[in-house]
Amino acid sequence: MSGPYPPIAEYALIGDCHSAALVSRDGEIDWCCFHRFDSRPVFARLLDWSRGGYFRIAPMEPYQARRRYLPGTNILETRFETAGGTLVLTDCFPVREALTSDAADPVHPYHQLARIGRCERGEVNLHLEFSPRFDYGLTVPQLKPFGNGLVTVMGGADALLLQSDLPITQTDIYACEGKQALRTGDVTRAVLTYALPHELRPRIITAEEIDGRLASTREFWTAWSNRCTYEGPYRDHVVRSALVLKALTNSPTGAIVAAATTSLPEKIGGSRNWDYRYAWLRDSAFTLYALFILGYTDEARAFMQWITRTTAGRPEDLQTLYGVGGERLLPEVELKELDGYRSSRPVRIGNGASTQFQLDIYGEVIDTAWLYHRHGGAIENDFWDFLVRLGEHVAKIWMEPDEGIWEVRAGRRQFVSSKVMAWVAIDRLIRLGRALQRPLDSERWLELRDEIRRRVESDGVDLISGAFVQSLGSSALDASALLVPLVHFLPADDPRVRATIARIEKELSVDGFVCRYLDGTDGLPGGEATFLICSFWLVDNLALTGQVDRARELFERLCGCANDVGLLGEEVDPRTAELLGNFPQAFSHVGLINSAIQLARQSKLSSRAPMTKGPTDREP
């Protein structure tokens, strides 16, 4: 580790489907956004250790810490063992008692962070440190104690109210602390409430209220996780991944963000630091499949409704990613004043990929609609008309170069995966039209689908190795070629698919951990680690080609990269197993769910010929 920053894997996520925070193993909250995932954080030490702000509760004595999520929940419990006693710290964002978990109803938050410390054994000297900062650490607020453990925090457009059972001492106008000796059975509570400055109302919340909110929050998460219908192998991993997806869901809209953070690096000290607190259309089909197959049909429908609302309009206006409320304007800004995680600069907010042309998103939207229909969802007339217009637009633009699935910044190219997804767009439109019995010029669309296939198969395959390549006419390799059988462009037993798998294992893999492509082809300086979603795609491909034992062995090693509470980042350093990138990463957990399902399916069919349908296959 370089400097004071803990490894990314040292953090655990807590949230309420509106807000999110990362808690370190030392009981320190170094990242917290209230109200919306992409809002300005009130603690951002993760991006600048000296100025970002934090909220820590831990023993004053030396300790050993271990932690867990309470079973079936996103409530974190950290156990501190000291020489003289044991402190158990429980962290969560409470949700309202009126909430029901029978459907994807909006999760009603208190916009509060609750931290409850309980001395389980002996005596522990507890220490609370509270040093908030607003606007990514760039705004230093003013604290004002009110007595009775109440402290207000004001600065700019944000306000906080801290309530603690501890006697609070102001260390300066920007920070305060509390200290108290706890003995067996003693409990202390701290609640942090977010509000707009003009709406802040100091009020003491009773211990009974706090404990009741914790109980109802635990009941909500437990009831939600119990709805998971998957009973196959690796169920614990699957349920934890589903809980991550739920925690990264914006409840009011149904959108699922890619991650809870911004600017955590893909390589320590590098510049590949992006804001992932938005919803990508690319992730939609994989995510919807995972939700549907696990029994979360209401969440899947809410996500689909978000997609329907957000993508409405002209096909040419379709974006790669959107804000959780459907926002289109996401300008990318560099915060040059911040040091970045372990000097990984720049720190970015917003995402410039929102203005890129990425051809594959049309296939993903229509594929998502097909999947939604396959699971009983209704395709309304207006949305069907929009899907047809999308198909018409694909017919006009499918031969244009684009920035591709990996959002390169080195100019547009004729990416093979983009052409494959253009084929998916037309293929799914044909299938959906037939299933819905909607009027469609089938012959014309079939000809277009065949034309796209011919171009991919003639110019998208390396003549020497027989493997699919990164762009038409090139010989460079790209892990996105692993999608070919997963979207049913070709069956898994096709020689070109097998050649692609073999070449990716040889040239892009480090002991099964898959890189996206070779360095130096995306217009960005520096390298990166291996991508977990690509590695899970390799698991799927191995399983589909009958190599189930190898697939299972790789899957278990990938799961072994999760941290102690089961969370995955975007990338992993295969040499050290260090998690990198924004955290936790929804797409990695979607990959885990889909691969677990694929392995379960293939295990049942192990005595038969290998399946040719991938985990996101949309065949009738």
Side-chain angles (χ1 to χ4, degrees):
M1 183 176 74
S2 174
Y5 294 90
I8 293 170
E10 286 291 300
Y11 288 94
L13 173 72
I14 57 174
D16 59 7
C17 303
H18 293 74
S19 309
L22 294 186
V23 188
S24 78
R25 189 188 294 268
D26 292 319
E28 184 166 299
I29 295 176
D30 292 330
W31 178 260
C32 179
C33 294
F34 277 99
H35 188 58
R36 274 178 58 129
F37 298 108
D38 57 353
S39 64
R40 301 179 298 270
V42 300
F43 306 114
R45 204 177 196 186
L46 203 56
L47 299 180
D48 192 304
W49 197 258
S50 64
R51 70 173 73 184
Y54 66 98
F55 182 13
R56 185 170 189 259
I57 297 178
M60 297 179 67
E61 303 93 341
Y63 57 79
Q64 294 291 324
R66 55 190 176 93
R67 59 190 178 169
R68 63 166 186 158
Y69 285 111
L70 297 183
T73 78
N74 281 315
I75 300 172
L76 183 67
E77 183 183 85
T78 306
R79 181 177 296 269
F80 299 96
E81 298 283 354
T82 73
T86 301
L87 173 70
V88 178
L89 176 65
T90 303
D91 288 317
C92 78
F93 284 92
V95 296
R96 294 189 184 276
E97 296 87 341
L99 177 70
T100 63
S101 59
D102 295 333
D105 295 331
V107 178
H108 301 290
Y110 290 96
H111 301 300
Q112 289 178 344
L113 171 63
R115 314 197 72 185
I116 302 173
R118 174 173 52 86
C119 183
E120 190 175 84
R121 174 187 64 85
E123 182 175 325
V124 177
N125 292 302
L126 183 144
H127 188 199
L128 178 153
E129 300 174 78
F130 181 67
S131 182
R133 298 291 186 270
F134 297 159
D135 295 322
Y136 301 89
L138 301 179
T139 297
V140 180
Q142 182 173 349
L143 276 65
K144 183 178 180 181
F146 273 81
N148 297 319
L150 290 178
V151 179
T152 61
V153 186
M154 295 285 188
D158 301 295
L160 296 170
L161 175 68
L162 173 66
Q163 174 190 324
S164 174
D165 295 338
L166 303 178
I168 296 296
T169 302
Q170 191 164 5
T171 53
D172 58 38
I173 65 171
Y174 314 122
C176 62
E177 66 177 359
K179 299 178 181 179
Q180 190 172 37
L182 301 181
R183 295 177 175 83
T184 302
D186 288 346
V187 177
T188 186
R189 302 166 181 84
V191 176
L192 184 63
T193 304
Y194 173 85
L196 298 175
H198 62 280
E199 295 178 348
L200 189 64
R201 301 289 184 269
R203 182 182 80 84
I204 294 177
I205 306 171
T206 67
E208 291 75 19
E209 284 181 285
I210 297 171
D211 293 345
R213 291 176 185 182
L214 174 63
S216 64
T217 302
R218 183 172 187 176
E219 181 180 351
F220 161 70
W221 285 117
T222 303
W224 190 88
S225 60
N226 285 342
R227 287 172 50 208
C228 179
T229 58
Y230 178 75
E231 296 294 341
Y234 311 108
R235 189 178 190 279
D236 289 346
H237 293 286
V238 169
V239 171
R240 174 50 52 198
S241 292
L243 282 162
V244 171
L245 295 183
K246 181 65 173 177
L248 295 177
T249 300
N250 178 258
S251 178
T253 66
I256 300 176
V257 298
T261 58
T262 180
S263 299
L264 293 186
E266 297 173 9
K267 181 179 181 180
I268 300 301
S271 62
R272 298 168 185 262
N273 318 314
W274 314 108
D275 195 344
Y276 274 12
R277 297 171 299 160
Y278 307 111
W280 267 254
L281 294 182
R282 179 169 301 114
D283 304 6
S284 60
F286 287 89
T287 304
L288 279 171
Y289 176 83
L291 291 173
F292 272 128
I293 207 69
L294 299 182
Y296 294 110
T297 56
D298 294 312
E299 283 77 9
R301 289 191 174 95
F303 191 19
M304 186 63 201
Q305 289 167 5
W306 174 83
I307 292 171
T308 304
R309 294 191 305 268
T310 301
T311 59
R314 300 186 304 170
E316 55 268 33
D317 294 335
L318 204 65
Q319 290 191 180
T320 305
L321 64 145
Y322 296 85
V324 295
E327 296 85 359
R328 293 172 175 264
L329 299 178
L330 307 172
E332 187 172 294
V333 177
E334 296 183 2
L335 302 180
K336 299 183 184 299
E337 302 91 335
L338 300 185
D339 287 342
Y341 176 82
R342 292 169 64 179
S343 298
S344 302
R345 299 176 179 170
V347 171
R348 294 182 174 95
I349 57 174
N351 199 305
S354 62
T355 62
Q356 287 187 346
F357 168 49
Q358 297 179 23
L359 177 63
D360 63 293
I361 62 176
Y362 299 94
E364 281 132 13
V365 170
I366 303 178
D367 192 26
T368 297
W370 169 243
L371 173 64
Y372 183 62
H373 162 75
R374 291 273 293 138
H375 285 269
I379 304 296
E380 303 295 337
N381 291 336
D382 289 347
F383 192 53
W384 167 251
D385 292 340
F386 173 69
L387 295 175
V388 174
R389 294 200 306 274
L390 283 184
E392 296 283 2
H393 191 58
V394 171
K396 296 177 183 177
I397 65 171
W398 74 271
M399 268 310 301
E400 294 182 15
D402 72 324
E403 274 92 2
I405 184 174
W406 304 127
E407 304 176 349
V408 300
R409 302 195 176 196
R412 297 178 177 180
R413 296 178 226 168
Q414 298 283 2
F415 287 105
V416 170
S417 62
S418 297
K419 308 308 179 190
V420 168
M421 291 309 298
W423 177 92
V424 168
I426 306 305
D427 177 74
R428 304 310 193 257
L429 186 65
I430 293 169
R431 297 183 186 279
L432 194 56
R434 289 172 177 170
L436 298 175
Q437 297 183 332
R438 301 292 178 95
L440 201 65
D441 186 353
S442 296
E443 184 174 349
R444 173 192 167 216
W445 293 107
L446 286 169
E447 289 177 357
L448 175 59
R449 185 180 67 174
D450 292 344
E451 181 183 359
I452 299 173
R453 175 185 289 280
R454 285 192 298 270
R455 184 63 191 272
V456 171
E457 292 182 337
S458 63
D459 297 340
V461 178
D462 179 53
L463 296 178
I464 297 175
S465 65
F468 284 97
V469 292
Q470 184 178 65
S471 57
L472 299 180
S474 75
S475 60
L477 199 57
D478 194 300
S480 61
L482 293 170
L483 289 171
V484 166
L486 304 189
V487 299
H488 208 56
F489 183 81
L490 285 175
D493 58 2
D494 186 283
R496 292 162 293 184
V497 172
R498 290 183 174 274
T500 301
I501 297 171
R503 192 176 168 197
I504 285 175
E505 284 196 280
K506 180 179 179 181
E507 299 179 35
L508 289 186
S509 300
V510 181
D511 195 25
F513 293 80
V514 181
C515 300
R516 297 186 297 172
Y517 42 73
L518 297 178
D519 292 343
T521 61
D522 58 10
L524 296 166
E528 61 185 19
T530 58
F531 261 60
L532 279 166
I533 187 63
C534 298
S535 304
F536 282 117
W537 289 344
L538 179 57
V539 170
D540 298 333
N541 276 255
L542 291 173
L544 289 169
T545 53
Q547 304 176 72
V548 178
D549 290 341
R550 290 190 61 212
R552 184 179 297 108
E553 188 271 335
L554 176 56
F555 178 81
E556 291 178 354
R557 282 195 288 119
L558 294 173
C559 290
C561 293
N563 70 1
D564 57 314
V565 288
L567 305 186
L568 292 168
E570 181 181 26
E571 302 186 18
V572 62
D573 186 331
R575 300 165 301 171
T576 64
E578 181 180 10
L579 293 175
L580 296 168
N582 285 303
F583 186 82
Q585 182 82 7
F587 216 9
S588 297
H589 286 279
V590 168
L592 185 154
I593 292 170
N594 288 344
S595 291
I597 294 167
Q598 186 65 266
L599 284 170
R601 183 182 294 167
Q602 290 296 338
S603 295
K604 291 180 180 179
L605 298 171
S606 58
S607 60
R608 308 178 188 176
M611 290 179 58
T612 60
K613 296 182 181 181
T616 57
D617 178 60
R618 310 292 182 252
E619 284 288 329

